[in-house]
Amino acid sequence: MDIMFAQLPVTSIPAELKLSEHNNKDVIKENIYILNELIKRMDNLNDSEHFQSILILTGYRMSYRTKFSLINPEREEKFTNLLRVVKQWAKARHIYSNIFGYLSGTILLIMTAKICLLYPNGNLLFLLRQFFLIYSIWPWPIPVILDPLVNSNNILQNWNLKNLLPSEYHNGDKMPVITSLFPNQNAAYNVNNHTLNIIILEINRAYKILIEGTDRNSSKNFDENNLIFKQLDYKNKFCHFLLLECTSFKDINTENQKEFSSVSPPNCGQLKTRVRTLLYRWVEKTVIKTKNKQTIILKDRLNNYHALSGFARKRRMNNKK
């Protein structure tokens, strides 16, 4: 579970804000209105100090609004179950890591909501098949959006089609999955050509398994032993591996004895980002000269590489200084 804190430019939280209320439509509308006003107030301050808080608050608002307002209350259970299924699938196939350029909870929430809005009367199995069908043929980089885009010229710029073009700091959005309301942001900003190819391959694989199922109306299709949830057999799929372990030392007593920290150091997130960008540059720009004076462009020879997400190994050892 992730816990994030947003600093608000108010002395107290509005008493009318009741985020634990999920059944009363009027309360839900009021909650969304209050969140909108708080975000607008921070945006109007035009202060970069509120940049991160705006993103945190809009992320929560998007999740709250999607689940309790956009989705019909009668369909909420199917939406929630569909989201759980695709999350389990993404984790099993090691494509659930936004920082490595794969899918994330926010990306899957938007993609799942899109399917539920397109097919409001479908059962869970139908929705799952449509999820993999629609996104297997989706014409990326056409964006996935739930609401019309909005405009703003303050702290945060809204996503627009110009973001598809390469710039000095980014190679252009490859898989735009756009958050609702202001500020519209691409939740899949980190996805690049190679991770997008892996995501599409896994979506195609899952869809093929589903349509080849003999009993399409059986609930056993969602059993954890179903082939779409089969763990990626990376040991047999790939021949070469590189293991990076991010650890730090910490003092454990007054005798200068140290141990490896069981908690990832704060800069491990930055390291993962660098791994993603360096891998991409390595594949895109590496040119190899052979002894026979042949030129090999790596990206033309390398089918794919896969930064395996979900590995968090804890290791503790004592080390005397």
Side-chain angles (χ1 to χ4, degrees), residues 83 87 90 95-99 102-111 187-188:
L83 183 58
K87 277 187 178 181
I95 53 171
Y96 189 82
S97 175
N98 185 42
I99 201 166
Y102 298 119
L103 302 173
S104 68
T106 301
I107 296 171
L108 290 176
L109 181 139
I110 298 171
M111 294 172 69

Side-chain angles (χ1 to χ4, degrees), residues 57-160:
L57 207 58
T58 53
Y60 178 84
R61 179 194 59 185
M62 186 200 65
S63 178
Y64 181 88
R65 177 175 176 267
T66 300
K67 187 173 182 179
F68 302 117
S69 181
L70 285 183
I71 302 299
N72 189 306
E74 298 176 356
R75 306 286 297 166
E76 182 185 326
E77 183 178 358
K78 286 187 173 62
F79 166 75
T80 302
N81 289 335
L82 178 61
L83 183 58
R84 287 173 179 169
V85 170
V86 294
K87 277 187 178 181
Q88 182 181 348
W89 157 76
K91 291 177 181 179
R93 303 305 296 174
H94 287 280
I95 53 171
Y96 189 82
S97 175
N98 185 42
I99 201 166
F100 279 137
Y102 298 119
L103 302 173
S104 68
T106 301
I107 296 171
L108 290 176
L109 181 139
I110 298 171
M111 294 172 69
T112 299
K114 185 71 173 181
I115 298 301
C116 290
L117 293 173
L118 287 174
Y119 305 100
N121 298 317
N123 60 36
L124 184 55
L125 182 55
F126 173 81
L127 292 174
L128 183 63
R129 287 205 303 266
Q130 292 306 109
F131 178 93
F132 290 118
L133 169 61
I134 294 298
Y135 293 119
S136 67
I137 61 175
W138 191 271
W140 305 108
I142 298 298
V144 175
I145 59 174
L146 302 179
D147 299 286
L149 301 179
V150 296
N151 296 316
S152 174
N153 296 316
N154 292 338
I155 302 176
L156 292 172
Q157 294 295 319
N158 279 292
W159 187 91
N160 59 65

